[in-house]
Every structure is written in structure tokens, then in C-alpha cells.
Amino acid sequence: MNTESSRPLFGLRASAFAFVVPALLSLSACKSDSPKPPDAGTDTPDNPVAATRAALLEASAACVLQTAREFQTVATALETAVAAHAATPDATTRDAARAAFHEAMDAWQVAEVMQFGPAAPRSVSGGAELRDNIYSWPLVSRCAVEEQIVSRGYASAGFENALVSRRGLYALEYLLFFEGNDTACPGTSTIVAQGTWAALSADERAERKRAYAAVVAADVHRRADALVNAWAADQGNFTRTLTTAGSGNTVYPSTQAALNAISDAMFYVEREVKDLKLARPLAMRDCSTSTCPEHLESQFAARSKANIRANLSGYRRLTEGCGENYSGTGFDDLLEASGADALAAKLRERNAAAAAGIEALPGEDITTALAQDKAAVREMYEVVKGVTDVLKTELVSVLDLELPQSVEGDND
């Protein structure tokens, strides 16, 4: 498969995050006083840490399958709504298709934090690249989508094997929400150099966008089915692969390897959410002006904040529990079984503070706040950083987990 790969007050936030030196001291004590999670070779049924590790793998697998099924349901509705708009283009069907997109993206952004197993890249053990085929952000290209509109490549028999930048939820967002007539393609692009984009009438362009959207929505639905099937017990049963981690398991030769895979996926909140979805627009990295709104994730549907809210929800499902109000087994239970009760409480507190901090920013997008109240967006960044600081310093250390290579040496 081809790839292109209420707002917290400043004083409260300072209190919430001024923990670096104390944390290092408490971490040292925690690591010496708390039992280390045993590796698969020493796990025994009467060991509470081993039992919790096994329960966490079971809960994580069930959570991924539950989340995938939630997305499958809304992806089914999305295909139906987009097809209806293509068949009967009017304001009613357009609005229904857009509403279905929002519901699908709400569900998918929860799953974004669960990129282990079949959702992960093929370069990762157990990966089947299903995530990138559903949503490849930040590896996206508006120009690539516009070139498809002109060439009608979406109508070709092999479109399902096209580069992911031409398919998936990003392409669908553009096709359903962008109403302009301009193109993002440079002058060197064929559709600009040969004038084929400009030659399309507004009506013809709109008709092609609707047809293209229907193809993409159907493809997303198929990928959603594939993700569910990959985990389901009566299909690919990756659930069994994860929950039987240990000797003889070629994907996860130890329970620690399986837990590391889940932990690596949770670092989505560090890399993609904190660094890409917030720090870049805030001009804290990869931006030479006061702000860079062009780096916000949702450029067409205006839902950048909504995506981050859902990302945090996915993270909380794994770290606290996948049940109602985040009940159930999560990494906090493994911390408590390992003797790190205070850290487990801290993790939950930081998660709740981040949820409140995200909701404190008005609306579902970040664009207006970035332009009018940058400090408010910076506060949102800080509460997310409060979550990721716990993840990449204390949690991984106490549980003997490995930092992903992408964040090693990252001190922010």
C-alpha cells in the first residue's frame, strides 16, 4: 500500500505544572520503593502486578474493538449520507452529510490514540497500516485531492490503492466542506499549468466533488470494517495476539512488549496533539510568524478543538478505563498494583484538568481564539502538556516502559 506518511487560571496552572524537581525526587523514591512490573517470564497467577498486567491487556484489546465498532457504526451512516448527497444534491442532503462527517470524525479521533496492532504502520510489529488508510493527517495534501477532481482518478478501478493523501477522512473533509473555487496547487502542477482546473465550471467541479466524496466515504467504510474484523474473535482475532503476549507469541514475545506497544500509541497525545496540533499553530515550533493557523488540523470543517477533545478521550480510555466515565481497567490500575497510588491519582487529575481546560476554550475550533486570544490557546497547550509530562516521565519510568524513538531526547 502506498503512503505519504472553566479555563484554568494562570496561578492554578503554575501550581499544576510546577512539579519537575519534586517529581524527580518522588520518582526516584517511587522507583526504589515500588515493585517493578515483572516480565512475562516471571509472571505468576498469584502476583498482583502480573494479574493486573494481564487484565490491562484484556481491557486494552476490548477497548480498541469497542472503539473500532463505534467508528464502524458511524462510518456506515457516513457512506449512506454522502451517497444520498451525491444522488440528490441540495442543502438538506449536504447538511446531513456534513453532520455524519462530524459524527464519524468524533469517533475516529478517539481511535487515533490506539494505533497499535493492525492500525499501526507495517514497520511496527503487528501493524497493517489501517489507520493511514482511514486518516493520514498530518501527511495530507489538498493539491493531491484537487488533482483527483480534475483527472477523475477517484472513478478508476484501482483508486483504493491510490496514495492515502488522495483518500480518507481528510479528503472527505475537503470535499464536503470547502466551497472555494481556488486551488492550492502550485503553478508547476498540471492542473494549473494546463489550465484544466480553471476550465472546470463551478457546477462541474461541485458535481465531481460529490461523486468523489461518495467513493471516499465508501472506502472509509470498508476500512472501518477491516479494522473491526482484524480485532474480532471470529475474524482476524488480533485480540488473542495481544492478550496472549509472552513466550511463543511472534508479535509480542513478552507482556512488556505488548504494554510497550500500547504505551507507544498513547504518545500520540505528546507528538501529534501537543506538538503538532497545538505547538505549531502557537508558533512554538516550525513557525516563523506570531501564529501559524495554517497548521491547525481541521482546515475545512472547523473542528480542531473537537478533535483534540476526542484524542484526550481516547487516551483516557486506555489510561483510566474504557467504560462509562472512564471506569474499568487502565494504566492507572497497573500503577496502583505496582505501589504507585499517588502517581495513579496524579494521572487521573491531570487528565481531568486537561478535559476541563479544553472545554474552557469556546467553540469547536481554535482558529478564532488563535487570532484573538492566543493566551487562551496557550493555556490549552499547557493543560495537555500536564498530561504528557506524566506520561513521558513518571508513568513510563515506574512501569519500565520504553520511550518511543520519536520522543527520546525531547525535553519540552
Side-chain angles (χ1 to χ4, degrees):
M1 184 68 61
N2 290 315
T3 60
E4 289 175 296
S5 116
S6 69
R7 183 196 318 165
L9 297 176
F10 278 99
L12 177 59
R13 190 181 68 230
S15 173
F17 296 115
F19 72 98
V20 176
V21 173
L24 292 174
L25 294 175
S26 63
L27 175 58
S28 174
C30 187
K31 291 180 71 175
S32 60
D33 296 340
S34 301
K36 289 287 187 183
D39 193 46
T42 58
D43 284 355
T44 56
D46 59 347
N47 185 319
V49 176
T52 306
R53 285 155 64 89
L56 179 55
L57 292 180
E58 293 275 0
S60 297
C63 189
V64 173
L65 183 55
Q66 171 189 321
T67 304
R69 283 177 170 154
E70 290 168 357
F71 177 66
Q72 182 186 41
T73 298
V74 291
T76 304
L78 177 63
E79 180 184 8
T80 300
V82 175
H85 180 47
T88 309
D90 57 30
T92 299
T93 58
R94 178 203 63 199
D95 292 348
R98 289 177 174 180
F101 174 86
H102 282 300
E103 291 184 6
M105 189 60 92
D106 283 341
W108 181 254
Q109 291 287 344
V110 174
E112 280 282 271
V113 191
M114 303 178 185
Q115 293 179 49
F116 55 93
R122 295 188 190 280
S123 58
V124 174
S125 185
E129 213 165 78
L130 292 180
R131 180 268 176 182
D132 282 358
N133 281 282
I134 293 172
Y135 187 57
S136 63
W137 189 90
L139 300 178
V140 295
S141 171
R142 174 182 158 185
C143 177
V145 175
E146 290 168 342
E147 288 175 338
Q148 289 292 295
I149 292 172
V150 174
S151 70
R152 302 178 93 166
Y154 57 85
S156 66
F159 181 69
E160 65 180 21
N161 297 316
L163 295 173
V164 293
S165 61
R166 301 174 182 178
R167 299 182 283 109
L169 291 171
Y170 170 84
L172 195 55
E173 180 178 349
Y174 170 88
L175 295 166
L176 291 177
F177 290 89
F178 183 69
E179 296 181 339
N181 293 318
D182 61 302
T183 176
C185 293
T188 53
S189 170
T190 301
I191 69 170
V192 177
Q194 296 182 0
T196 48
W197 175 267
L200 285 177
S201 68
D203 288 345
E204 176 66 17
R205 191 180 300 118
E207 187 281 328
R208 292 188 185 191
K209 286 171 69 176
R210 290 191 296 270
Y212 188 174
V215 172
V216 171
D219 185 60
V220 167
H221 182 194
R222 285 193 295 272
R223 310 289 180 177
D225 290 344
L227 183 59
V228 169
N229 290 340
W231 283 89
D234 59 346
Q235 298 287 329
N237 202 8
F238 198 84
T239 292
R240 184 177 187 281
T241 300
L242 183 68
T243 57
T244 58
S247 179
N249 187 318
T250 58
V251 177
Y252 303 122
S254 67
T255 56
Q256 192 70 358
L259 291 172
N260 267 318
I262 302 171
S263 171
D264 285 353
M266 295 191 312
F267 270 84
Y268 181 94
V269 180
E270 163 72 15
R271 297 181 306 259
E272 281 79 6
V273 178
K274 179 177 73 69
D275 291 346
L276 299 186
K277 299 187 183 188
L278 288 171
R280 285 205 305 174
L282 281 165
M284 299 171 67
R285 59 170 61 205
D286 305 323
C287 174
S288 58
T289 53
S290 61
T291 61
C292 282
E294 68 275 13
H295 287 320
L296 288 170
E297 179 183 15
S298 180
Q299 292 290 315
F300 313 112
R303 48 167 298 118
S304 292
K305 191 193 90 167
N307 289 350
I308 293 173
R309 177 202 295 123
N311 296 155
L312 180 64
S313 178
Y315 179 80
R316 295 184 75 178
R317 287 186 177 195
L318 293 176
T319 55
E320 298 181 56
C322 207
E324 186 175 359
N325 296 320
Y326 306 110
S327 59
T329 301
F331 275 79
D332 59 339
D333 295 284
L334 183 54
L335 288 171
E336 290 175 344
S338 301
D341 297 59
L343 179 56
K346 182 178 183 179
L347 178 149
R348 292 187 291 266
E349 289 166 2
R350 292 290 179 87
N351 288 353
I358 292 168
E359 289 307 317
L361 196 75
E364 294 298 279
D365 200 27
I366 299 175
T367 304
T368 300
L370 192 64
Q372 299 179 359
D373 191 359
K374 182 180 176 181
V377 183
R378 178 58 188 259
E379 290 187 16
M380 184 174 168
Y381 167 88
E382 292 294 347
V383 294
V384 171
K385 185 176 185 296
V387 169
T388 63
D389 282 347
V390 169
L391 169 65
K392 71 179 184 179
T393 57
E394 298 171 275
L395 186 146
V396 295
S397 297
V398 170
L399 299 182
D400 252 3
L401 298 167
E402 298 174 1
L403 282 172
Q405 291 184 349
S406 58
V407 299
E408 288 180 353
D410 183 0
N411 298 313
D412 68 347

